[in-house]
Amino acid sequence: MELKRVVITGLGALTPIGNTVEEYWNNLEKGVSGAGPITRFDCTKFKTRFACEVKGFDILKYMEKKDARKLDLFSQFAVACADDAVKDAGIEASDVNKDRIGVIWGTGIGGLSTFFREVMEFGRGDGTPRFNPFFIPMMISDIASGHISMRHGFRGPNYITTSACASSNNAIIDACTYIRLGKAEMMIAGGSEAAVNEPAVGGFNAMKALSERNDSPQTASRPFDNERDGFVIGEGAGALVLEELEHAKARGAKIYAEVAGSGMSADAYHLTAPHPEGLGVVLVLNEALHDAGISISDIDYINVHGTSTPLGDVAELKAITKVFGDHVFDLNISSTKSMTGHLLGGAGAVEALASVLAVYKNIIPPTINHFTDDPNIDPRLNLTFNKAQYRNVNYAVSNCFGFGGHNATVIFKKYTA
């Protein structure tokens, strides 16, 4: 069968460096760090005492207080961000069939703050079970997509993807597939995470995954730098409206970019560590290129997973070099996690936004906080250090990888009629 073309017609962003798409993009271009001391809990005794938190978020701009109290923060982020994307796409103002619009959202952890709070309150009691009646629907991961659909009346496919830090890339891929196959006309896809809390920070500290650069939070996320010591945990959300091309044209929608192709693979190697030679990443990149029907020479930019961990950064670059050969030196590569931190299950969504806007605006956001070259990284690679670069971007790759060896890659292209 002939697959439908899928375009991006709406965007929403709620990030540590901006609560709108415009703020987010402007700060990406400027190379602004979203890191600072943790304010969400008393972290005095923790090894890591900083994070990339969302600042100035007010859910009451989107819903009444009595309704907001029924949502975990990760769902609040999801609802707010999706509302903005829907508005940007002009869905409410157009004549659309809501039976043919779905929501696929991604999160790695879901309502961890709610779960932690309820369990702690139970533990402080006398054993009598006194739980919030909304405990379960606040905690469960799938509730975010449910809330989005209920707010807008979208009755198409609706569920959550959970594949650790690849979650929202998987959501975008699934949403695209439904449209390509003609099973939906529009899909809201993206992801959110709200894991700046005691169990998440403590758990990642126990794994020695987080940076402990407490004396300099804003320079702690430093992908590819020789002194990198772990990722910086972030929070927030990103949302994209995916739409079948002819449907978008018929309603006169603004088109940011087209989804060219995607790929998924597994490392089948280790619980948390990447394959040292990046074999799963090689597989996912080749699959995405094949799905898009393009060659390696077509790619201009790769928004890498680039978490700022000693093992992961090198393994990803090894895989990219294997796939792209000499063309790798003509690419721009950058890690926007150097600015946003790592949004875990929401990472793919906010990085997809960065990739789409790089295509739309012909600007490559930088990898900030580079101070010292890593001798294990080829100096000929253009890792877009410290300053945005300008070039024509026809195709951009967005990589996301998750604990468990999950790999998901999406390729965006400049839209042409």
Side-chain angles (χ1 to χ4, degrees):
M1 64 179 293
E2 183 178 353
L3 297 178
K4 307 287 187 181
R5 290 172 66 182
V6 181
V7 293
I8 309 296
T9 57
L11 302 175
L14 181 58
T15 78
I17 59 171
N19 294 358
T20 67
V21 171
E22 183 179 11
E23 289 176 357
Y24 170 57
W25 177 257
N26 287 342
N27 285 324
L28 280 181
E29 189 178 349
K30 293 174 185 176
V32 174
S33 170
I38 289 172
T39 66
R40 296 208 180 277
F41 65 93
D42 181 0
C43 58
T44 306
K45 296 182 180 180
F46 284 70
K47 293 178 181 177
T48 296
R49 298 185 290 278
F50 61 93
C52 285
E53 296 179 337
V54 169
K55 296 124 181 118
F57 172 65
D58 184 4
I59 188 59
L60 299 185
K61 293 179 180 178
Y62 297 87
M63 63 178 65
E64 297 293 328
K65 186 175 182 178
K66 63 181 178 63
D67 297 319
R69 292 175 62 185
K70 301 173 186 177
L71 277 69
D72 183 89
L73 186 58
F74 97 98
S75 288
Q76 292 184 8
F77 286 166
V79 164
C81 193
D83 275 12
D84 290 344
V86 166
K87 182 178 179 181
D88 185 43
I91 294 176
E92 298 297 345
S94 61
D95 183 17
V96 294
N97 180 358
K98 293 187 177 182
D99 293 349
R100 301 274 291 163
I101 304 176
V103 182
I104 303 179
W105 204 252
T107 187
I109 299 177
L112 183 59
S113 291
T114 294
F115 184 86
F116 179 66
R117 182 179 64 250
E118 291 291 319
V119 170
M120 289 296 289
E121 289 180 1
F122 176 73
R124 284 191 289 264
D126 61 3
T128 302
R130 297 185 180 91
F131 289 93
N132 187 321
F134 294 101
F135 170 32
I136 299 301
M138 288 174 71
M139 175 199 70
I140 53 178
S141 297
D142 70 290
I143 204 68
S145 64
H147 278 298
I148 294 167
S149 68
M150 287 184 281
R151 283 176 69 80
H152 298 283
F154 299 150
R155 292 178 290 271
N158 186 283
Y159 59 88
I160 283 280
T161 56
T162 296
S163 48
C165 305
S167 296
S168 46
N169 258 18
N170 280 128
I172 293 167
I173 292 168
D174 282 9
C176 182
T177 299
Y178 279 102
I179 297 173
R180 291 173 95 183
L181 294 176
K183 294 179 177 292
E185 292 170 341
M186 304 177 75
M187 298 290 293
I188 316 303
S192 60
E193 205 78 88
V196 181
N197 50 44
E198 295 93 329
V201 174
F204 283 120
N205 268 157
M207 295 173 61
K208 301 188 183 302
L210 294 181
S211 170
E212 298 178 16
R213 204 177 297 276
N214 295 298
D215 59 339
S216 184
Q218 291 189 324
T219 67
S221 184
R222 47 178 73 184
F224 316 120
D225 188 88
N226 194 48
E227 303 301 321
R228 64 191 183 275
D229 70 329
F231 73 83
V232 177
I233 194 168
E235 63 178 8
L240 301 89
V241 175
L242 282 68
E243 188 168 356
E244 192 271 322
L245 174 60
E246 296 305 319
H247 187 271
K249 289 165 63 177
R251 67 184 191 90
K254 172 177 58 181
I255 296 175
Y256 288 99
E258 183 172 354
V259 182
S262 63
M264 295 178 285
S265 75
D267 281 358
Y269 174 72
H270 189 271
L271 283 174
T272 57
H275 190 285
E277 299 301 316
L279 296 187
V281 180
V282 170
L283 183 60
V284 77
L285 286 169
N286 281 327
E287 174 64 22
L289 289 164
H290 176 74
D291 186 48
I294 58 176
S295 68
I296 57 174
S297 61
D298 291 314
I299 302 297
D300 303 295
Y301 169 52
I302 302 178
N303 187 301
V304 290
H305 189 57
T307 58
S308 186
T309 57
L311 296 178
D313 290 4
V314 171
E316 184 174 8
L317 291 180
K318 281 184 178 179
I320 289 170
T321 301
K322 285 180 181 178
V323 171
F324 288 92
D326 288 341
H327 180 61
V328 75
F329 304 116
D330 297 324
L331 295 170
N332 271 88
I333 297 169
S334 74
S335 172
T336 48
K337 287 186 180 73
S338 60
M339 294 171 276
T340 65
H342 192 349
L343 272 65
L344 309 178
V350 298
E351 290 157 23
L353 294 181
S355 302
V356 166
L357 290 169
V359 168
Y360 189 62
K361 294 177 177 289
N362 294 313
I363 301 172
I364 309 295
T367 304
I368 67 167
N369 296 330
H370 181 73
F371 304 100
T372 309
D373 290 343
D374 182 340
N376 296 306
I377 294 176
D378 193 325
R380 294 175 295 172
L381 293 172
N382 183 359
L383 299 174
T384 323
F385 284 136
N386 298 324
K387 188 176 180 180
Q389 295 179 16
Y390 302 86
R391 66 177 290 173
N392 191 47
V393 183
N394 288 310
Y395 286 89
V397 172
S398 182
N399 282 343
C400 270
F401 317 133
F403 285 172
H406 315 294
N407 306 309
T409 291
V410 184
I411 300 177
F412 300 100
K413 64 179 288 188
K414 197 177 293 296
Y415 168 70
T416 54

